[in-house]
Amino acid sequence: MKKYSTIATICLALLVSGCTKLDQEFYSSVTPDTFFKSEKDIKAALFRPFTHAKWYLGEDRWRLQEYTADNFAVTTKGRHWYNGGENERFHYHRWTPDDNWIWESWRGTLMGIALTLDAKSDLDKLDYTKFALTAERKAADLAQLDALVAFFYLRGLDYFGGMPIFESLEQESLPRNSDQELFDHTEKLLKAAIENLPAKKADDKEEGAIRKAAAAAMLAQLYFNAESYIGKPMYAESRKIAQDIIDKVYGDYALDSKWNGVHGFKNNLSPEIIWSMPSEFKKLEYNWFYADFYHYNTRQFFDQDMDGNNGAHLTPSRKPNGALYTADFKLGAPFETFDKGDLRKAPYVYHGTDQYDGMFIVGPHKTPEGETIVGGEEYNGLPLNFVDQVARFSDVGPKKKYSSIDQLPSKMSEGEENTGIRLVKVPIPNLANNELRWGADLPAIRLAEIYYILAECNYRLGDKQRAAELFNAVRKRNFANNVDPNPVTAASIDKYRILDEWSIEFIGEGRRRTDLIRWKAFITEEWWDHKPSNATHLNRFPVPNKAIAGNSNLTQNPGY
C-alpha cells in the first residue's frame, strides 16, 4: 500500500470544485500491479493530473492575473458585487495573505505537483513491456509528467517566488526554496523533458499531450521572465528557443490564417496550438468565465439557457462624458487599443453551425431575432446597452443624485448593470447547436505567443526591425485581406506599443499581470481607477496564512 505524505493527503482531501475528487480509501488500497490492466489504464493515470492543469488555468489563477491588471475589473453594481471589498482590494493592489484567490492558487499549485508526482511514481514502477510498450514510450510518458510538474512550478514561481520543491510524495512540511533554486529546478525538469518527449507528428491525435515544443516553449517562458524571477535577464536564451520553435526544430507548427482559428469551435485542428486542454460540453469547462462576465439576461442574446452573474468587464476606455482615457493613461482602455477594422473588435454574432463574428458584447443588447433585451436592476424593464464606461448614469436627472453627466465619478464602486464591454473569447452557440457549447479547447501555449516572445526579445536585444516584422506577421490576419492599417514599425515600437500588442492578441488569456511585471509596469504605472504603489513586494503574492498555519517551516514573502 502506498504511503501518503502531507502534500498528498492534504492536497487530495482539499480538492476544489472543478476537479474530480479522489476517493482516499480506494486510492490507498490500489497499487500499480493491481490497477494497470491495459494501455488505456496507463493513459488514464498519465492524464489524470492534466485535468487539474485545465482547472488551474482558469478561475482564481486567471483572476489573479487579470483583475489585478489594467484590462479587466469587477465593479460594484448597485447592490451587487461588492463582495466584502474583495474586487476592490485586488484592483487597488491591497490584497492580504487571507484572500481566498491567493490561498486557492497556492493550494492549487501544490495539488497539481502532488497529483503529477503520484502519477509519475506509479508509472515509473510499471513494466511497460507487459503491455507491448517500449522503453522509449515509458520515457516519453515520464517526461510529460516532468514537464507538467515544471508547468505548475513555473506558475508558482510567477505568483509567489520560491516554493517548497517536492521531488517525491515521501517528503512533507518542507520549507520554501529560494527563487533561484525553484528557477533551477524548473529549468532542469524542462531540459530533461525536452530530451525524451517526441515531436508532434502530422498524425498525432492525442489532444492535450505535452510534446517537445510545449516543453521548449515553457523553457522559453522561464527565460523570458527570468529578470522578474531571479533578477537576471535571459532574453538571448529565450530568443534562441523561440526561434528554434518557429523554425520547426521541435515540431511542425504554423500561425493560423484566421483570427479565430485558435479559439473557435474546431480549434483542435489549428496548426497554431502547441499545447491545449481538451474540452467538451458536458464538462462545463468555461462556466466560471460565463458566470463572471455575462448579464443575467444575456442568455437571450446567446439564445442559451445559462444565467450569468454580471460581474466582470473590460476596464473603460471612456470617461462618463465620452472622452477617451488614452490621453490620461498609457495602459488600460483595452477596447480602444484595438484598431478600427480589427475583425475581433466587432460585436459578437453567432451565425449558426460553427460560424461567428467578433468577440465583444457592446452596445444595444438584442436577441438573435433583433428583439430588445431589458435590464432587471437600474434599467428594470428598459433596454440594456453595454457601454465602454463606468458610472452611475441611472443616477443622473431631476431629483436624482447628480444633475449632469459631468458630475459622475468613475471608479470601482460606481458600476451599474450595463457597465462595461464583455469579452466573448470562447464562442458560444445557440441551443440549436448546443453540442458545440464549450467545444473549443483551451489553448495553453500557441505559436503566436512564441512569435511575440521572439519579437520582444529582439527588441530588447536591439533589433527593432525584426521585432516589428514578427508582431506584424501575427497582426495581419486580424484585418480584411490581411491589410493592417497600423502595423508596428521600427520607428514606432516601444515599451507601450509592445504592451499594447500583448494586450490585444492575448486579451483574456490569463497573462496580463506577468507581462506588466516583466516591463516593470505593474506597480509603477497608472490606469483607470488605479494609482501606482511603487511597492516592489506586490510583484509577488503573499504566502497564504492558511499555508503557514499548516506548515510552520514556511516563511512569508517580504512586505506582507
Side-chain angles (χ1 to χ4, degrees), residues 178-199:
S178 68
D179 295 357
Q180 183 69 59
E181 288 169 337
L182 185 55
F183 183 98
D184 293 343
H185 181 65
T186 306
E187 179 186 40
K188 178 183 176 182
L189 287 170
L190 290 170
K191 284 184 173 180
I194 291 169
E195 290 298 315
N196 289 306
L197 285 169

mmCIF file of all heavy atoms in Angstrom, residues 178-199:
data_model
loop_
_atom_site.group_PDB
_atom_site.id
_atom_site.type_symbol
_atom_site.label_atom_id
_atom_site.label_comp_id
_atom_site.label_asym_id
_atom_site.label_seq_id
_atom_site.Cartn_x
_atom_site.Cartn_y
_atom_site.Cartn_z
ATOM 1 N N SER A 178 14.508 28.922 -2.412
ATOM 2 C CA SER A 178 14.673 30.278 -2.913
ATOM 3 C C SER A 178 14.143 30.398 -4.337
ATOM 4 O O SER A 178 13.917 29.393 -5.024
ATOM 5 C CB SER A 178 16.146 30.675 -2.885
ATOM 6 O OG SER A 178 16.879 29.915 -3.847
ATOM 7 N N ASP A 179 13.965 31.632 -4.782
ATOM 8 C CA ASP A 179 13.555 31.878 -6.166
ATOM 9 C C ASP A 179 14.529 31.204 -7.133
ATOM 10 O O ASP A 179 14.118 30.566 -8.105
ATOM 11 C CB ASP A 179 13.520 33.383 -6.454
ATOM 12 C CG ASP A 179 12.471 34.124 -5.660
ATOM 13 O OD1 ASP A 179 11.718 33.475 -4.908
ATOM 14 O OD2 ASP A 179 12.404 35.355 -5.784
ATOM 15 N N GLN A 180 15.820 31.363 -6.870
ATOM 16 C CA GLN A 180 16.843 30.799 -7.758
ATOM 17 C C GLN A 180 16.778 29.280 -7.770
ATOM 18 O O GLN A 180 16.878 28.652 -8.834
ATOM 19 C CB GLN A 180 18.232 31.261 -7.324
ATOM 20 C CG GLN A 180 19.366 30.793 -8.238
ATOM 21 C CD GLN A 180 19.332 31.447 -9.606
ATOM 22 O OE1 GLN A 180 19.396 32.669 -9.715
ATOM 23 N NE2 GLN A 180 19.229 30.649 -10.670
ATOM 24 N N GLU A 181 16.587 28.680 -6.615
ATOM 25 C CA GLU A 181 16.527 27.221 -6.546
ATOM 26 C C GLU A 181 15.314 26.678 -7.300
ATOM 27 O O GLU A 181 15.413 25.665 -7.998
ATOM 28 C CB GLU A 181 16.496 26.773 -5.081
ATOM 29 C CG GLU A 181 17.834 26.951 -4.368
ATOM 30 C CD GLU A 181 17.724 26.771 -2.866
ATOM 31 O OE1 GLU A 181 16.621 26.938 -2.298
ATOM 32 O OE2 GLU A 181 18.774 26.476 -2.236
ATOM 33 N N LEU A 182 14.178 27.361 -7.165
ATOM 34 C CA LEU A 182 12.998 26.909 -7.887
ATOM 35 C C LEU A 182 13.157 27.138 -9.384
ATOM 36 O O LEU A 182 12.739 26.303 -10.197
ATOM 37 C CB LEU A 182 11.750 27.624 -7.368
ATOM 38 C CG LEU A 182 10.429 27.152 -7.967
ATOM 39 C CD1 LEU A 182 10.241 25.650 -7.798
ATOM 40 C CD2 LEU A 182 9.252 27.903 -7.364
ATOM 41 N N PHE A 183 13.760 28.242 -9.759
ATOM 42 C CA PHE A 183 14.059 28.504 -11.171
ATOM 43 C C PHE A 183 14.934 27.378 -11.736
ATOM 44 O O PHE A 183 14.643 26.809 -12.792
ATOM 45 C CB PHE A 183 14.766 29.852 -11.303
ATOM 46 C CG PHE A 183 15.072 30.264 -12.714
ATOM 47 C CD1 PHE A 183 14.238 31.142 -13.388
ATOM 48 C CD2 PHE A 183 16.207 29.800 -13.376
ATOM 49 C CE1 PHE A 183 14.512 31.537 -14.695
ATOM 50 C CE2 PHE A 183 16.492 30.182 -14.672
ATOM 51 C CZ PHE A 183 15.639 31.050 -15.332
ATOM 52 N N ASP A 184 16.002 27.037 -11.015
ATOM 53 C CA ASP A 184 16.928 25.996 -11.477
ATOM 54 C C ASP A 184 16.230 24.646 -11.575
ATOM 55 O O ASP A 184 16.479 23.871 -12.520
ATOM 56 C CB ASP A 184 18.124 25.900 -10.532
ATOM 57 C CG ASP A 184 19.009 27.143 -10.568
ATOM 58 O OD1 ASP A 184 18.901 27.933 -11.531
ATOM 59 O OD2 ASP A 184 19.807 27.324 -9.616
ATOM 60 N N HIS A 185 15.384 24.336 -10.612
ATOM 61 C CA HIS A 185 14.677 23.055 -10.617
ATOM 62 C C HIS A 185 13.735 22.976 -11.819
ATOM 63 O O HIS A 185 13.669 21.939 -12.501
ATOM 64 C CB HIS A 185 13.889 22.901 -9.316
ATOM 65 C CG HIS A 185 13.148 21.605 -9.199
ATOM 66 N ND1 HIS A 185 13.779 20.388 -9.133
ATOM 67 C CD2 HIS A 185 11.801 21.346 -9.150
ATOM 68 C CE1 HIS A 185 12.888 19.422 -9.034
ATOM 69 N NE2 HIS A 185 11.674 19.964 -9.054
ATOM 70 N N THR A 186 13.008 24.053 -12.073
ATOM 71 C CA THR A 186 12.091 24.088 -13.212
ATOM 72 C C THR A 186 12.853 23.957 -14.522
ATOM 73 O O THR A 186 12.446 23.210 -15.420
ATOM 74 C CB THR A 186 11.280 25.392 -13.194
ATOM 75 O OG1 THR A 186 10.635 25.536 -11.920
ATOM 76 C CG2 THR A 186 10.239 25.417 -14.295
ATOM 77 N N GLU A 187 13.953 24.656 -14.623
ATOM 78 C CA GLU A 187 14.805 24.576 -15.816
ATOM 79 C C GLU A 187 15.311 23.148 -16.024
ATOM 80 O O GLU A 187 15.277 22.613 -17.151
ATOM 81 C CB GLU A 187 15.989 25.524 -15.661
ATOM 82 C CG GLU A 187 16.970 25.514 -16.824
ATOM 83 C CD GLU A 187 18.196 26.367 -16.538
ATOM 84 O OE1 GLU A 187 18.699 26.334 -15.391
ATOM 85 O OE2 GLU A 187 18.659 27.061 -17.461
ATOM 86 N N LYS A 188 15.748 22.505 -14.959
ATOM 87 C CA LYS A 188 16.256 21.135 -15.048
ATOM 88 C C LYS A 188 15.183 20.164 -15.532
ATOM 89 O O LYS A 188 15.422 19.323 -16.404
ATOM 90 C CB LYS A 188 16.782 20.709 -13.676
ATOM 91 C CG LYS A 188 17.292 19.278 -13.610
ATOM 92 C CD LYS A 188 17.726 18.933 -12.185
ATOM 93 C CE LYS A 188 18.138 17.466 -12.072
ATOM 94 N NZ LYS A 188 18.525 17.121 -10.672
ATOM 95 N N LEU A 189 13.972 20.292 -14.971
ATOM 96 C CA LEU A 189 12.868 19.427 -15.384
ATOM 97 C C LEU A 189 12.558 19.582 -16.871
ATOM 98 O O LEU A 189 12.333 18.606 -17.584
ATOM 99 C CB LEU A 189 11.624 19.745 -14.553
ATOM 100 C CG LEU A 189 11.617 19.284 -13.101
ATOM 101 C CD1 LEU A 189 10.424 19.891 -12.373
ATOM 102 C CD2 LEU A 189 11.579 17.758 -13.006
ATOM 103 N N LEU A 190 12.524 20.826 -17.334
ATOM 104 C CA LEU A 190 12.162 21.084 -18.724
ATOM 105 C C LEU A 190 13.244 20.616 -19.684
ATOM 106 O O LEU A 190 12.943 20.033 -20.738
ATOM 107 C CB LEU A 190 11.873 22.575 -18.918
ATOM 108 C CG LEU A 190 10.588 23.077 -18.246
ATOM 109 C CD1 LEU A 190 10.515 24.594 -18.298
ATOM 110 C CD2 LEU A 190 9.360 22.460 -18.911
ATOM 111 N N LYS A 191 14.482 20.838 -19.342
ATOM 112 C CA LYS A 191 15.564 20.385 -20.219
ATOM 113 C C LYS A 191 15.552 18.859 -20.354
ATOM 114 O O LYS A 191 15.758 18.321 -21.449
ATOM 115 C CB LYS A 191 16.914 20.863 -19.681
ATOM 116 C CG LYS A 191 17.187 22.339 -19.935
ATOM 117 C CD LYS A 191 18.583 22.720 -19.473
ATOM 118 C CE LYS A 191 18.936 24.136 -19.881
ATOM 119 N NZ LYS A 191 20.309 24.516 -19.430
ATOM 120 N N ALA A 192 15.319 18.172 -19.243
ATOM 121 C CA ALA A 192 15.264 16.712 -19.287
ATOM 122 C C ALA A 192 14.057 16.242 -20.089
ATOM 123 O O ALA A 192 14.148 15.277 -20.868
ATOM 124 C CB ALA A 192 15.213 16.157 -17.865
ATOM 125 N N ALA A 193 12.917 16.933 -19.915
ATOM 126 C CA ALA A 193 11.707 16.539 -20.645
ATOM 127 C C ALA A 193 11.891 16.707 -22.145
ATOM 128 O O ALA A 193 11.460 15.856 -22.935
ATOM 129 C CB ALA A 193 10.524 17.370 -20.151
ATOM 130 N N ILE A 194 12.521 17.791 -22.556
ATOM 131 C CA ILE A 194 12.727 18.045 -23.985
ATOM 132 C C ILE A 194 13.495 16.899 -24.634
ATOM 133 O O ILE A 194 13.223 16.500 -25.775
ATOM 134 C CB ILE A 194 13.458 19.387 -24.194
ATOM 135 C CG1 ILE A 194 12.543 20.561 -23.809
ATOM 136 C CG2 ILE A 194 13.931 19.542 -25.639
ATOM 137 C CD1 ILE A 194 13.256 21.900 -23.732
ATOM 138 N N GLU A 195 14.445 16.334 -23.903
ATOM 139 C CA GLU A 195 15.263 15.256 -24.453
ATOM 140 C C GLU A 195 14.446 14.003 -24.748
ATOM 141 O O GLU A 195 14.722 13.276 -25.705
ATOM 142 C CB GLU A 195 16.392 14.914 -23.476
ATOM 143 C CG GLU A 195 17.453 15.985 -23.358
ATOM 144 C CD GLU A 195 18.162 16.243 -24.670
ATOM 145 O OE1 GLU A 195 18.527 15.257 -25.355
ATOM 146 O OE2 GLU A 195 18.343 17.417 -25.018
ATOM 147 N N ASN A 196 13.414 13.739 -23.932
ATOM 148 C CA ASN A 196 12.688 12.472 -24.037
ATOM 149 C C ASN A 196 11.303 12.580 -24.653
ATOM 150 O O ASN A 196 10.683 11.548 -24.949
ATOM 151 C CB ASN A 196 12.561 11.845 -22.643
ATOM 152 C CG ASN A 196 13.889 11.324 -22.126
ATOM 153 O OD1 ASN A 196 14.555 10.538 -22.778
ATOM 154 N ND2 ASN A 196 14.287 11.801 -20.964
ATOM 155 N N LEU A 197 10.820 13.782 -24.852
ATOM 156 C CA LEU A 197 9.495 13.950 -25.452
ATOM 157 C C LEU A 197 9.583 13.826 -26.970
ATOM 158 O O LEU A 197 10.554 14.286 -27.587
ATOM 159 C CB LEU A 197 8.917 15.314 -25.096
ATOM 160 C CG LEU A 197 8.395 15.479 -23.676
ATOM 161 C CD1 LEU A 197 8.113 16.951 -23.385
ATOM 162 C CD2 LEU A 197 7.148 14.639 -23.445
ATOM 163 N N PRO A 198 8.578 13.244 -27.582
ATOM 164 C CA PRO A 198 8.555 13.211 -29.048
ATOM 165 C C PRO A 198 8.099 14.547 -29.610
ATOM 166 O O PRO A 198 7.391 15.312 -28.947
ATOM 167 C CB PRO A 198 7.515 12.127 -29.347
ATOM 168 C CG PRO A 198 6.574 12.201 -28.184
ATOM 169 C CD PRO A 198 7.425 12.545 -26.981
ATOM 170 N N ALA A 199 8.517 14.832 -30.811
ATOM 171 C CA ALA A 199 7.967 15.986 -31.526
ATOM 172 C C ALA A 199 6.596 15.610 -32.064
ATOM 173 O O ALA A 199 6.332 14.443 -32.370
ATOM 174 C CB ALA A 199 8.889 16.394 -32.675
#
